[in-house]
Amino acid sequence: MNKIAQIFQSLDYGPAPEGPDQAIAWLDAHDRKFGHFIDGKWTKPGKTFSSDNPATGESLAQITDGTAEDVNAAVKAARAAFKGWSALSGYERGKYLYAIARAVQKHARLFAVLETMDNGKPIRESRDIDIPLVARHFYHHAGWAQHLNREFPDAVPYGVCGQIIPWNFPLLMLAWKIAPALAAGNTVILKPAEFTSLTALLFAEICERVGLPKGVVNIVTGEGGTGQAITAHEGIDKIAFTGSTDVGKAIRAVTAGSGKGLSLELGGKSPYIVFEDADIDSAIEGLIDAIWFNQGQVCCAGSRLLVQESIEERFITKLKKRMQTLRVGDPLDKSIDIGAMIAPIQVERIKDLMKRGIAEGAEVYEPDGQMPARGCFLKPALVTNVSPANTLVAEEIFGPILVAMSFRTPEEAVQLANNTKYGLAATVWSENINLALDIAPQIKAGVVWINGTNNFDAAVGFGGYKESGYGREGGREGMSAYLKPAWEKDLKPAPAPKIAAAKATNPLDSGHLDQTAKMYIGGKQSRPDSGYSRAVYDPSGKLVGEVGDGNRKDIRNAVEAARAALGWSTTAAHSRAQILYFLAENLDYRRDEFADRIKAQTGENGVEEVALSVERLFAFAGWADKYDGAVHNPPLRAVAAAMVEPLGVMGIVAPPSRPLLGSIALIAPALAMGNPVVLVPSAQSPLSVTDLYQVIETSDVPKGVINIVTGDSVSLAKTLAEHDGVDGLWYAGDAESSAMVEKVSITNLKQTWTSRGLYYDLADRRFEGDYFLAKATQVKNVWIPYGA
Ligand code: NDP
């Protein structure tokens, strides 16, 4: 063989080291000791910890561990800066973002080298992926700043945002957080991860150099405790977090009831599905990138290979051969594929997980390649002979470890892919576009890459389903995560529900047969599990009727029925619209009867409420086939289809007031978007909803799509919040139980909306549009490459 052919075979090439001189000069210029960047000034270093180069173990600099006082000072500065920053025109704010983008580009090499030294990632990645994406993010958001008022006319910024980021993409995660926050007019306090603060500090210097108004960006370094001081701080209006699911859940619990905005971008265990008709060589190269990008320390790493049985042997053989050519070593060497792990503690964690997996039967393959003599390195590994229950399949490893399993049919591939508590990303390889586009919507994940992997762009939202979190970063969805409706600040406390004192009556006096309204579960009327009923009184205390007193078991049955009806989400939007129109029509047909019932329960004239309920059903029938996605054109040979998908099963606990509209206004958007619902109507006046059974039955609503459980709103809301089969929960009630709902929702990180004791006048037409539609949906971006 001649030499060139040999080189192609062996992929053997010499080292190409990148010089660290500039980065070292920058560190030395700061005496390798840093304080925080607060209110446009550098604080004196306080108690410090060392930031080390994981490839060498050498200390790079001393970083200040932020205290509660530091966080206080940063919040004060950000609050003071908010007024001026949010009052700037979008054009002015955009110009600052543009200047930051330019400066990042100008100093790209310094940023890339510093990032690689601090984090251990190959310079190839920091130079060609992280830093260019950072600049792209600021450019993109400069545009959003300028067009904000036109594109989000009724929205205002949250105010002061607390942002906490991890160590795996230090500067990129900073950009994903700071760019949209600033574009929307917020000011920020950002805490980088303890292991990787340096590029955030360099970024602070860039903010200084471009003349960003003081206090708009504050960088407070520190450990987990500094993060806790941020999440608990009362002066912060929104928390944006990227990191582990455990800490994400802790943050949800801490912020419950505070009214703070929250977006969580958490862990993953993303499937990488290879069908038998895939271009195998491309799929192997994609897989190398999917799992060994950044040493596998990537939330969306394609860490679970699912390969079709018919090609499994061939694929695994090729993969092992390719793994032999992977180079582990000095991250500053441009010819290195796999750099250093973040820290010894992470290596130990992974080794422990491996031991557990092996004890459970896993087999491990590692290539022979040489390993560096010192530093924090791990060999890439392929794990086979595992069942879905193996620790290495179930847990997020966050390292260079790929687990492989096989499947026989597309259905089995989808089942295995979704067999995880996470839902961040997925990859599908097939030359059959019909098959790939059939699989993508079935996978419960926020991003699906077809015949590619790890594509990211500022214009395309990124974020998770299920326990991978909520909220999106990038694109329109990412912007809306930093905005809230302008009218929210005018909401007044909801009046306490009028609870009539019951007049003493002998229960045996009713004189007629039992007329207790039943629950409605799975398309059938059913008696409450408890056998008990609740009396419904009018304002004078007169008995108007009785309903079942629902309990945990009724909720369980209703959720089961709703899950069995999840096919509603794939029912054509046109058909969902037709059914909502039909509901409206049948309700209108019986408007007098419903108006009378409202009057009987509340003493108020119900004519207008029934008319509004009919109109609201019409409104959301109209939305069913219109509130949909977009197609993005990122700067790659690909399109990204942003698909609007329902959350899944939704629990809806209606407010005490407006017995009919209170329920209709909330279930209509959920149903329009394809969510089966478990509805708990007003506890005081539930009869308007129990009267709906016949309307539902005559309107072609598939069984299980609307389930109704009557009873005590608070205890039923708690049961719904605890239930892992509920994907989204809306609760209209007092502040204390709203906080409870948010706190308990961490079980499976279901998405919640609560009214927090405020009065949302659901008759208002502002609730006829995207306010609830957005909360009933999540966006999945499906990346589809093109080009012959
Ligand atoms: P964490 O979730 O612990 O840390 C993420 C960020 O949150 C860091 O800035 C951290 O500070 C901060 N933090 C830690 N505890 C709290 C708290 N109670 N309140 C507020 N902020 C807090 O991730 P780790 O870095 O410890 O990594 C652990 C595991 O998390 C990894 O092995 C991996 O599985 C997963 N992970 C997932 C990421 C993702 O992108 N989805 C990213 C990073 C990790 P500090 O670093 O100083 O502790």
Short mmCIF file of all heavy atoms in Angstrom, two decimals, residues 241-246 248 264-270 298-301 396 398 420-425 462-469 749:
data_model
loop_
_atom_site.label_atom_id
_atom_site.label_comp_id
_atom_site.label_asym_id
_atom_site.label_seq_id
_atom_site.Cartn_x
_atom_site.Cartn_y
_atom_site.Cartn_z
N PHE A 241 -32.13 27.51 34.50
CA PHE A 241 -31.13 26.55 35.01
C PHE A 241 -30.82 25.50 33.97
O PHE A 241 -31.72 24.96 33.33
CB PHE A 241 -31.68 25.88 36.28
CG PHE A 241 -30.82 24.75 36.78
CD1 PHE A 241 -29.65 25.00 37.49
CD2 PHE A 241 -31.17 23.43 36.53
CE1 PHE A 241 -28.86 23.95 37.95
CE2 PHE A 241 -30.38 22.37 36.99
CZ PHE A 241 -29.22 22.65 37.70
N THR A 242 -29.57 25.17 33.82
CA THR A 242 -29.16 23.98 33.07
C THR A 242 -28.27 23.16 33.99
O THR A 242 -27.35 23.69 34.60
CB THR A 242 -28.38 24.35 31.80
OG1 THR A 242 -29.23 25.10 30.95
CG2 THR A 242 -27.95 23.10 31.04
N GLY A 243 -28.57 21.87 34.07
CA GLY A 243 -27.76 21.00 34.93
C GLY A 243 -28.47 19.68 35.15
O GLY A 243 -29.28 19.25 34.31
N SER A 244 -28.21 19.09 36.29
CA SER A 244 -28.74 17.74 36.53
C SER A 244 -30.23 17.80 36.87
O SER A 244 -30.74 18.81 37.39
CB SER A 244 -27.98 17.10 37.68
OG SER A 244 -28.11 17.89 38.84
N THR A 245 -30.92 16.69 36.63
CA THR A 245 -32.35 16.62 36.92
C THR A 245 -32.59 16.75 38.43
O THR A 245 -33.55 17.41 38.85
CB THR A 245 -32.94 15.32 36.35
OG1 THR A 245 -32.88 15.42 34.92
CG2 THR A 245 -34.39 15.10 36.76
N ASP A 246 -31.70 16.19 39.24
CA ASP A 246 -31.90 16.28 40.70
C ASP A 246 -31.89 17.73 41.17
O ASP A 246 -32.75 18.15 41.94
CB ASP A 246 -30.80 15.51 41.44
CG ASP A 246 -31.03 14.02 41.33
OD1 ASP A 246 -32.14 13.62 40.90
OD2 ASP A 246 -30.11 13.25 41.66
N GLY A 248 -32.37 20.33 39.29
CA GLY A 248 -33.54 20.97 38.65
C GLY A 248 -34.80 20.78 39.48
O GLY A 248 -35.57 21.72 39.70
N LEU A 264 -36.03 24.99 32.84
CA LEU A 264 -35.11 23.94 33.28
C LEU A 264 -34.64 23.14 32.08
O LEU A 264 -35.46 22.58 31.35
CB LEU A 264 -35.84 22.99 34.25
CG LEU A 264 -36.39 23.58 35.55
CD1 LEU A 264 -37.24 22.54 36.27
CD2 LEU A 264 -35.27 24.08 36.44
N GLU A 265 -33.35 23.09 31.90
CA GLU A 265 -32.79 22.26 30.83
C GLU A 265 -31.93 21.23 31.53
O GLU A 265 -30.85 21.54 32.03
CB GLU A 265 -31.99 23.16 29.87
CG GLU A 265 -31.83 22.54 28.51
CD GLU A 265 -30.59 21.69 28.40
OE1 GLU A 265 -30.69 20.49 28.72
OE2 GLU A 265 -29.54 22.21 28.03
N LEU A 266 -32.43 19.98 31.57
CA LEU A 266 -31.83 19.00 32.47
C LEU A 266 -31.19 17.83 31.72
O LEU A 266 -30.83 17.97 30.55
CB LEU A 266 -32.89 18.53 33.46
CG LEU A 266 -33.65 19.68 34.14
CD1 LEU A 266 -34.76 19.16 35.02
CD2 LEU A 266 -32.70 20.56 34.95
N GLY A 267 -31.10 16.73 32.38
CA GLY A 267 -30.34 15.61 31.82
C GLY A 267 -31.05 14.86 30.71
O GLY A 267 -32.15 15.22 30.30
N GLY A 268 -30.39 13.84 30.21
CA GLY A 268 -30.97 13.04 29.14
C GLY A 268 -30.33 11.68 29.04
O GLY A 268 -29.31 11.40 29.68
N LYS A 269 -30.98 10.83 28.28
CA LYS A 269 -30.41 9.50 27.97
C LYS A 269 -30.92 9.21 26.57
O LYS A 269 -31.84 8.41 26.36
CB LYS A 269 -30.92 8.47 29.00
CG LYS A 269 -30.24 7.14 28.89
CD LYS A 269 -28.87 7.14 29.53
CE LYS A 269 -28.15 5.85 29.25
NZ LYS A 269 -26.80 5.81 29.86
N SER A 270 -30.36 9.93 25.63
CA SER A 270 -31.01 10.02 24.32
C SER A 270 -30.75 8.81 23.43
O SER A 270 -29.61 8.35 23.33
CB SER A 270 -30.55 11.30 23.63
OG SER A 270 -30.91 12.41 24.43
N VAL A 298 -22.47 15.49 27.64
CA VAL A 298 -23.41 16.32 26.88
C VAL A 298 -24.81 15.87 27.27
O VAL A 298 -25.10 14.67 27.26
CB VAL A 298 -23.21 16.13 25.35
CG1 VAL A 298 -24.16 17.00 24.56
CG2 VAL A 298 -21.77 16.42 24.96
N CYS A 299 -25.67 16.84 27.61
CA CYS A 299 -27.01 16.45 28.08
C CYS A 299 -27.77 15.69 27.00
O CYS A 299 -28.55 14.80 27.30
CB CYS A 299 -27.77 17.68 28.53
SG CYS A 299 -27.74 19.00 27.33
N CYS A 300 -27.52 16.03 25.71
CA CYS A 300 -28.27 15.37 24.65
C CYS A 300 -27.45 14.28 23.96
O CYS A 300 -27.74 13.88 22.84
CB CYS A 300 -28.74 16.40 23.62
SG CYS A 300 -27.37 17.35 22.94
N ALA A 301 -26.39 13.79 24.63
CA ALA A 301 -25.53 12.76 24.02
C ALA A 301 -26.37 11.57 23.57
O ALA A 301 -27.27 11.12 24.28
CB ALA A 301 -24.50 12.31 25.04
N GLU A 396 -28.23 8.37 33.49
CA GLU A 396 -27.41 9.26 32.66
C GLU A 396 -25.97 9.13 33.14
O GLU A 396 -25.66 9.44 34.30
CB GLU A 396 -27.88 10.71 32.81
CG GLU A 396 -27.10 11.66 31.94
CD GLU A 396 -27.47 13.13 32.14
OE1 GLU A 396 -27.71 13.54 33.28
OE2 GLU A 396 -27.51 13.86 31.14
N PHE A 398 -23.11 10.51 31.59
CA PHE A 398 -22.40 11.76 31.37
C PHE A 398 -20.90 11.52 31.21
O PHE A 398 -20.06 12.17 31.81
CB PHE A 398 -22.66 12.74 32.53
CG PHE A 398 -23.03 14.11 32.04
CD1 PHE A 398 -24.18 14.33 31.34
CD2 PHE A 398 -22.19 15.20 32.27
CE1 PHE A 398 -24.52 15.59 30.87
CE2 PHE A 398 -22.51 16.46 31.80
CZ PHE A 398 -23.69 16.65 31.10
N THR A 420 -37.69 5.70 29.08
CA THR A 420 -36.76 6.47 29.90
C THR A 420 -37.53 7.61 30.54
O THR A 420 -38.52 8.08 29.97
CB THR A 420 -35.60 7.04 29.04
OG1 THR A 420 -34.92 8.04 29.79
CG2 THR A 420 -36.07 7.67 27.74
N LYS A 421 -37.05 8.05 31.69
CA LYS A 421 -37.73 9.20 32.32
C LYS A 421 -37.36 10.49 31.61
O LYS A 421 -37.97 11.52 31.80
CB LYS A 421 -37.39 9.27 33.81
CG LYS A 421 -35.92 9.48 34.09
CD LYS A 421 -35.64 9.46 35.59
CE LYS A 421 -34.15 9.65 35.82
NZ LYS A 421 -33.73 9.69 37.18
N TYR A 422 -36.29 10.44 30.82
CA TYR A 422 -35.82 11.64 30.13
C TYR A 422 -36.49 11.81 28.77
O TYR A 422 -37.12 10.89 28.26
CB TYR A 422 -34.31 11.56 29.91
CG TYR A 422 -33.51 11.53 31.19
CD1 TYR A 422 -32.80 10.38 31.55
CD2 TYR A 422 -33.47 12.62 32.04
CE1 TYR A 422 -32.06 10.34 32.73
CE2 TYR A 422 -32.74 12.59 33.21
CZ TYR A 422 -32.03 11.45 33.55
OH TYR A 422 -31.30 11.43 34.71
N GLY A 423 -36.29 12.97 28.16
CA GLY A 423 -36.84 13.21 26.82
C GLY A 423 -36.19 14.43 26.19
O GLY A 423 -36.87 15.38 25.81
N LEU A 424 -34.86 14.41 26.13
CA LEU A 424 -34.21 15.60 25.60
C LEU A 424 -34.05 15.53 24.09
O LEU A 424 -34.46 16.44 23.36
CB LEU A 424 -32.85 15.80 26.28
CG LEU A 424 -32.21 17.16 26.10
CD1 LEU A 424 -33.17 18.27 26.45
CD2 LEU A 424 -30.97 17.29 26.97
N ALA A 425 -33.41 14.46 23.60
CA ALA A 425 -33.14 14.40 22.16
C ALA A 425 -33.20 12.97 21.68
O ALA A 425 -33.26 12.03 22.48
CB ALA A 425 -31.76 14.99 21.88
N PHE A 462 -34.23 24.54 21.67
CA PHE A 462 -33.64 23.33 22.25
C PHE A 462 -34.17 23.18 23.66
O PHE A 462 -34.19 24.13 24.44
CB PHE A 462 -32.11 23.47 22.28
CG PHE A 462 -31.40 22.26 22.83
CD1 PHE A 462 -31.00 21.24 21.99
CD2 PHE A 462 -31.17 22.14 24.20
CE1 PHE A 462 -30.35 20.11 22.51
CE2 PHE A 462 -30.53 21.00 24.71
CZ PHE A 462 -30.12 20.00 23.87
N GLY A 463 -34.60 21.98 24.01
CA GLY A 463 -35.10 21.76 25.37
C GLY A 463 -35.83 20.44 25.45
O GLY A 463 -36.00 19.76 24.42
N GLY A 464 -36.26 20.07 26.65
CA GLY A 464 -36.69 18.71 26.85
C GLY A 464 -38.18 18.47 27.04
O GLY A 464 -38.97 19.40 27.21
N TYR A 465 -38.52 17.20 27.00
CA TYR A 465 -39.81 16.68 27.42
C TYR A 465 -39.55 15.95 28.74
O TYR A 465 -38.42 15.70 29.11
CB TYR A 465 -40.34 15.65 26.41
CG TYR A 465 -41.00 16.19 25.16
CD1 TYR A 465 -40.66 17.43 24.64
CD2 TYR A 465 -41.95 15.44 24.48
CE1 TYR A 465 -41.26 17.91 23.49
CE2 TYR A 465 -42.56 15.91 23.32
CZ TYR A 465 -42.20 17.14 22.83
OH TYR A 465 -42.79 17.61 21.68
N LYS A 466 -40.60 15.61 29.41
CA LYS A 466 -40.55 14.78 30.62
C LYS A 466 -39.51 15.33 31.62
O LYS A 466 -39.41 16.53 31.84
CB LYS A 466 -40.30 13.32 30.25
CG LYS A 466 -41.35 12.78 29.25
CD LYS A 466 -41.41 11.29 29.20
CE LYS A 466 -40.24 10.63 28.54
NZ LYS A 466 -40.39 9.21 28.30
N GLU A 467 -38.68 14.43 32.20
CA GLU A 467 -37.77 14.89 33.25
C GLU A 467 -36.50 15.54 32.68
O GLU A 467 -35.55 15.79 33.43
CB GLU A 467 -37.44 13.75 34.21
CG GLU A 467 -38.66 13.33 34.99
CD GLU A 467 -38.38 12.41 36.15
OE1 GLU A 467 -37.28 12.47 36.72
OE2 GLU A 467 -39.28 11.63 36.48
N SER A 468 -36.50 15.80 31.40
CA SER A 468 -35.40 16.61 30.84
C SER A 468 -35.72 18.10 30.95
O SER A 468 -34.94 18.93 30.48
CB SER A 468 -35.15 16.22 29.38
OG SER A 468 -34.59 14.93 29.33
N GLY A 469 -36.86 18.41 31.55
CA GLY A 469 -37.13 19.82 31.86
C GLY A 469 -38.15 20.48 30.97
O GLY A 469 -38.80 19.83 30.14
N LEU A 749 -41.67 16.06 37.14
CA LEU A 749 -41.46 17.40 36.56
C LEU A 749 -42.55 17.78 35.57
O LEU A 749 -42.27 18.28 34.47
CB LEU A 749 -40.09 17.48 35.90
CG LEU A 749 -38.95 17.88 36.83
CD1 LEU A 749 -37.63 17.90 36.07
CD2 LEU A 749 -39.18 19.25 37.47
#
